Amino acid sequence: MKHALKIVIALVVFFFMAQFAGLIVVNHYIDHKKTIETKTVAWQPLPYNLERPEVKNQSTSFIYVTIALLIGTILVLLLIKFNKPFIWKFWFFATVWLTLSISFAAFINASIAAIVAFIISALKLYKPNILIQNLSEIFIYGGLAAIFVPIINLFAAFMLLLVISIYDFVAVYKTKHMIKLAKFQSKSKVFAGLLIPYESGKILANNTSTSQKSRLAVLGGGDIGFTLIFAGVVMKELMLKETILIGFLKTLSIPIFTSLTLLILLLKGRHNKFYPAMPFLSLGCLIGYLVILLI
């Protein structure tokens, strides 16, 4: 087993919670009344006068997302090369603040959401602990999905899973830069994703530890974000055929099966070995989608 059993369960539970909360956020931004009237999915505007990216053809939107991912990866690798962690921290803070603000604005007043998101982002950066790290991660990806789900159709969502799965495999087993990125984030004490430090099966309070006996259970933010985007795209398609509640409940098949595949990966994984999670999680997405078709 890659990690202690209760650590594995905690990581999987946090992952599922992030998927569940993210779908609620995406569902909030769907304009259901207008969708019923026009029979096409309509969206509520984002708060703070933010605009979603414009794409001429949703079927090719996965290309733009992939390009953005590659550019972001190159920029972070340059920061590693030139040892500029403070730039990474500023970038991280701005991104977390933005996505949390969008996510919280689905539940509370936008101005209050921005203030709460700012406080949490600052704590995440300067006073990190397990609670702040992982609870904030539950809501971050809902804000991200609220931006990108509207510009991606089902074909593009499948293609995005395929491309990201291949990228993840290459980045871990071939170029190994994904491992370098993970170590850089841990060293800078700013990690984009779920993170649980533990020692002898006991969860530690801080999100990093210098103890040689301590270990870290981590799951990258991309693994949460891309699976949520896929689930969000499936949900918006279901909203054209089902009631709001039934569409949401059917979509939960995807987080359930991705969580199960993550559980199997963590249980079967070997100690001190990095694995590309996206190929396994993508399989879970596909199984969940097939279940939806059969329901």
Side-chain angles (χ1 to χ4, degrees):
M1 189 185 301
K2 190 171 176 61
H3 299 291
L5 181 59
K6 71 177 182 180
I7 305 302
V8 167
I9 293 174
L11 203 61
V12 173
V13 168
F14 276 124
F15 173 80
F16 180 81
M17 290 172 66
Q19 299 287 306
F20 186 85
L23 287 175
I24 292 178
V25 171
V26 172
N27 188 49
H28 166 82
Y29 282 104
I30 297 176
D31 188 333
H32 291 285
K33 183 178 179 180
K34 194 172 181 180
T35 297
I36 293 171
E37 293 173 351
T38 62
K39 292 183 171 46
T40 57
V41 181
W43 295 91
Q44 304 278 3
L46 294 172
Y48 320 112
N49 293 319
L50 294 171
E51 296 290 339
R52 297 181 176 92
E54 292 187 10
V55 294
K56 294 182 179 180
N57 185 351
Q58 289 195 12
S59 294
T60 59
S61 57
F62 73 94
I63 297 175
Y64 303 111
V65 176
T66 303
I67 292 173
L69 173 65
L70 293 175
I71 292 174
T73 300
I74 292 171
L75 289 175
V76 177
L77 289 174
L78 288 174
L79 294 179
I80 296 174
K81 179 178 177 61
F82 294 104
N83 192 27
K84 301 294 183 182
F86 66 93
I87 298 178
W88 159 246
K89 289 182 178 181
F90 175 78
W91 183 3
F92 178 86
F93 174 83
T95 303
V96 170
W97 185 17
L98 173 65
T99 52
L100 278 180
S101 295
I102 294 173
S103 188
F104 289 159
F107 308 101
I108 58 178
N109 175 271
S111 297
I112 297 175
I115 295 171
V116 173
F118 180 88
I119 294 171
I120 293 176
S121 301
L123 290 173
K124 192 177 177 75
L125 187 62
Y126 296 107
K127 294 290 184 179
N129 60 63
I130 290 305
L131 193 61
I132 291 294
Q133 172 68 30
N134 294 307
L135 289 183
S136 62
E137 291 293 313
I138 290 174
F139 294 98
I140 284 173
Y141 304 97
L144 189 70
I147 297 173
F148 289 102
V149 167
I151 67 170
I152 299 174
N153 64 14
L154 197 54
F155 171 79
F158 276 110
M159 290 302 297
L160 188 59
L161 285 184
L162 176 62
V163 170
I164 297 303
S165 295
I166 295 172
Y167 168 82
D168 202 19
F169 181 88
V170 172
V172 172
Y173 288 138
K174 301 299 180 181
T175 64
K176 300 185 185 298
H177 70 265
M178 192 64 74
I179 300 173
K180 184 183 294 186
L181 291 176
K183 290 181 177 179
F184 169 73
Q185 291 184 68
S186 296
K187 184 178 179 181
S188 63
K189 298 183 179 181
V190 176
F191 185 79
L194 297 172
L195 184 152
I196 303 176
Y198 66 99
E199 186 174 315
S200 301
K202 182 180 179 181
I203 296 176
L204 303 176
N206 297 320
N207 72 340
T208 57
S209 174
T210 56
S211 171
Q212 292 183 350
K213 295 181 180 180
S214 64
R215 296 179 61 190
L216 284 174
V218 300
L219 183 69
D223 302 322
I224 307 169
F226 288 117
T227 49
L228 174 59
I229 287 173
F230 177 83
V233 171
V234 172
M235 183 174 70
K236 78 173 182 179
E237 298 294 330
L238 285 173
M239 291 305 173
L240 294 173
K241 309 171 185 176
E242 307 285 355
T243 63
I244 298 174
L245 179 60
I246 296 301
F248 182 84
L249 292 177
K250 281 189 174 183
T251 305
L252 287 181
S253 296
I254 295 173
I256 288 171
F257 282 97
T258 51
S259 297
L260 287 174
T261 54
L262 176 61
L263 177 63
I264 293 170
L265 174 62
L266 293 174
L267 290 176
K268 296 296 184 180
R270 287 184 290 174
H271 176 46
N272 285 336
K273 185 175 176 62
F274 286 89
Y275 293 91
M278 275 309 300
F280 298 92
L281 296 177
S282 294
L283 178 60
C285 286
L286 296 179
I287 295 172
Y289 180 71
L290 289 175
V291 170
I292 290 173
L293 294 180
L294 295 173
I295 295 178

